[in-house]
């Protein structure tokens, strides 16, 4: 006789599993379980959903709520003991993976002038988006990059990297974005501390920006074949200028306004193999139509204020707030200002979706492309 309740995900739809429990079948399932096996028809409808079912929920993290706590960590722990002094963002549906959304991790890191973190390398790829402060720098494989607000820098899979703030700088806070949950799920994550704890700067400061950061120009004879962009830093100034220039030449996307993807200048592809990034500008008064697509997105408000509607729920945001859009969630964005543009930075797992042939996109067809709000 069967001894316990079992899951059985039945659907009364042709082509889907729909087997009713009988005492004989329940006993049979027990026998299979003792052999570390099971009957697919009891779980097929669960593990093969009709459409992606994200366990993440939309969340907005307000900077004014988090900032004081981030700064307080400076009094509570040293970078030497903590390794990295970071407050991470946890999606209520993803607590077991320390993920902000889907398979993406994010946190807010703080460093004071003169502090230096230990150099290390890991299989996870990372980026840092600078939120406030002056004097921050990152060293990646001997290339030192100076960083200002709204700049972002790559620390790709396998590279030696360390962060610091120069002694004449100010307290700095930045957002870390990593694919840790993905790489751990793939059971492929290694971590190494640099044998000398710090690495030497082996090139002129900002050399990769000077070499690879010139639009439409490629240095003669320079070669690069690694899986990530040699332009390790993307600066806010040229990015904002590019958005404004592109805005003069296009009506933009009905779903995203003026959106530009950060790319590897050698390939035109994403900045890293697992993480993509973009900056979008919502023009004064702009209100986009809703769409949804596969892939998880973390947004940071780089400029301005407004709101986004995600799966029918409104999230009001202003500069430095962070919010997430889970895979296949409807989303649309509204710039609250009638006179100023608003800019949203995102990082996402689109390179993974695209590389694996899993990218899908759909427009919200009803109600003029705007979602009705749900209570
Ligand atoms: Fe790291
Ligand atoms: Fe989107």
């Amino acid at each position: 006789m069967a001894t316990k309740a079992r899951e059985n995900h039945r659907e009364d739809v042709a082509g889907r599993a729909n087997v009713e429990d009988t005492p004989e079948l329940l006993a049979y399932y027990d026998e299979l379980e003792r052999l570390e096996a099971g009957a697919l028809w009891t779980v097929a409808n669960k593990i093969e959903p009709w459409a992606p079912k994200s366990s993440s929920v939309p969340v907005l993290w307000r900077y004014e709520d988090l900032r004081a706590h981030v700064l307080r960590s400076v009094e509570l722990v040293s970078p030497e003991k903590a390794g990295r002094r970071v407050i991470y963002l946890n999606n209520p549906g993803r607590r077991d993976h320390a993920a902000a959304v889907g398979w993406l991790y994010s946190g807010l890191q703080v460093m004071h002038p003169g502090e230096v973190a230990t150099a290390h390398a890991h299989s996870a790829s990372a980026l840092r988006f600078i939120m406030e402060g002056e004097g921050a720098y990152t060293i990646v494989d001997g290339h030192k990059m100076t960083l200002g607000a709204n700049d972002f820098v790559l620390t790709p899979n396998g590279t030696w990297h360390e962060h610091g703030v120069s002694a004449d700088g100010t307290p700095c806070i930045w957002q870390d974005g990593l694919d840790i949950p993905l790489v751990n799920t793939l059971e492929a994550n290694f971590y190494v501390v640099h044998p000398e704890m710090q690495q030497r700067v082996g090139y002129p400061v900002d050399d990769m920006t000077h070499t690879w950061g010139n639009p439409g120009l490629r240095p003669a004879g320079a070669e690069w074949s690694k899986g990530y962009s040699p332009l390790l830093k993307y600066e806010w100034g040229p990015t904002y200028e590019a958005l404004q220039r592109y805005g003069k030449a296009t009506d933009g996307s009905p779903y995203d306004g003026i959106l530009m993807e950060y790319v590897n200048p050698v390939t035109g592809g994403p900045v890293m193999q697992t993480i993509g990034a973009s900056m979008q500008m919502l023009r004064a008064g702009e209100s986009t139509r809703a769409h949804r697509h596969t892939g998880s997105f973390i947004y940071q408000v780089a400029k301005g204020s407004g709101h986004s509607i995600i799966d029918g729920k409104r999230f009001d945001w202003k500069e430095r707030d962070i919010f997430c859009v889970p895979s296949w969630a409807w989303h649309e964005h509204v710039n609250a200002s009638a006179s100023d543009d608003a800019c949203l930075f995102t990082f996402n797992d689109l390179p993974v979706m695209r590389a694996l042939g899993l990218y899908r996109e759909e427009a919200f067809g009803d109600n003029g492309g705007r979602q009705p709000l749900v209570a």
Side-chain angles (χ1 to χ4, degrees), residues 2-218:
T3 53
K4 59 180 180 183
R6 295 194 157 270
E7 53 178 342
N8 184 5
H9 301 267
R10 297 172 60 187
E11 278 180 35
D12 188 14
V13 178
R16 299 287 273 185
N18 188 15
V19 178
E20 64 188 293
D21 287 338
T22 63
E24 185 181 17
L25 274 172
L26 289 169
Y28 172 61
Y29 299 153
D30 281 353
E31 287 170 34
L32 289 174
E33 188 175 275
R34 279 194 284 277
L35 300 170
E36 302 299 345
L40 175 63
W41 59 85
T42 62
V43 296
N45 296 335
K46 180 176 82 166
I47 66 174
E48 294 173 300
W50 293 96
K53 273 190 186 158
S54 182
S55 58
S56 303
V57 295
V59 180
L60 177 111
W61 293 272
R62 297 196 318 165
Y63 193 49
E64 67 184 28
D65 293 341
L66 279 174
R67 185 174 181 274
H69 292 289
V70 172
L71 291 171
R72 187 155 173 250
S73 71
V74 174
E75 301 154 24
L76 298 173
V77 293
S78 66
E80 292 78 24
K81 280 196 173 176
R84 286 149 296 173
R85 203 195 276 123
V86 180
I87 303 306
Y88 69 95
L89 308 179
N90 222 344
N91 192 290
R94 306 288 291 157
R95 290 194 213 283
D96 49 341
H97 290 281
V101 63
W103 299 108
L104 294 171
Y105 159 98
S106 188
L108 301 186
Q109 183 160 180
V110 58
M111 287 188 93
H112 266 202
E115 288 183 338
V116 184
T118 312
H120 62 272
H122 39 66
S123 311
S125 291
L127 60 81
R128 308 165 62 204
F129 186 83
I130 309 304
M131 299 175 74
E132 63 172 274
E134 281 166 25
Y137 65 87
T138 286
I139 307 171
V140 178
D141 282 346
H143 301 280
K144 180 172 179 175
M145 285 153 284
T146 55
L147 300 163
N150 286 351
D151 290 351
F152 89 97
V153 65
L154 311 178
T155 55
N157 168 3
T159 54
W160 291 116
H161 58 280
E162 66 203 81
H163 315 303
V165 175
S166 61
D168 59 353
T170 65
C172 290
I173 299 178
W174 59 82
Q175 180 184 15
D176 292 329
L178 291 99
D179 57 9
I180 287 172
L182 173 70
V183 178
N184 284 346
T185 297
L186 296 172
E187 300 174 346
N189 208 358
F190 291 91
Y191 190 103
V192 194
V193 175
H194 195 281
E196 294 166 25
M197 303 305 276
Q198 308 295 329
Q199 57 179 321
R200 269 175 225 123
V201 176
Y203 309 90
V205 173
D206 285 326
D207 72 306
M208 293 305 248
T209 309
H210 298 324
T211 304
W212 295 101
N214 305 299
L217 292 164
R218 181 173 170 152

Side-chain angles (χ1 to χ4, degrees), residues 199-247:
Q199 57 179 321
R200 269 175 225 123
V201 176
Y203 309 90
V205 173
D206 285 326
D207 72 306
M208 293 305 248
T209 309
H210 298 324
T211 304
W212 295 101
N214 305 299
L217 292 164
R218 181 173 170 152
E223 293 194 9
W224 185 265
S225 58
K226 293 178 179 170
Y228 52 85
S229 169
L231 182 57
L232 296 167
K233 173 176 69 162
Y234 295 78
E235 295 175 342
W236 166 240
T239 301
Y240 184 59
E241 190 188 344
L243 289 169
Q244 290 179 308
R245 293 181 67 194
Y246 182 37

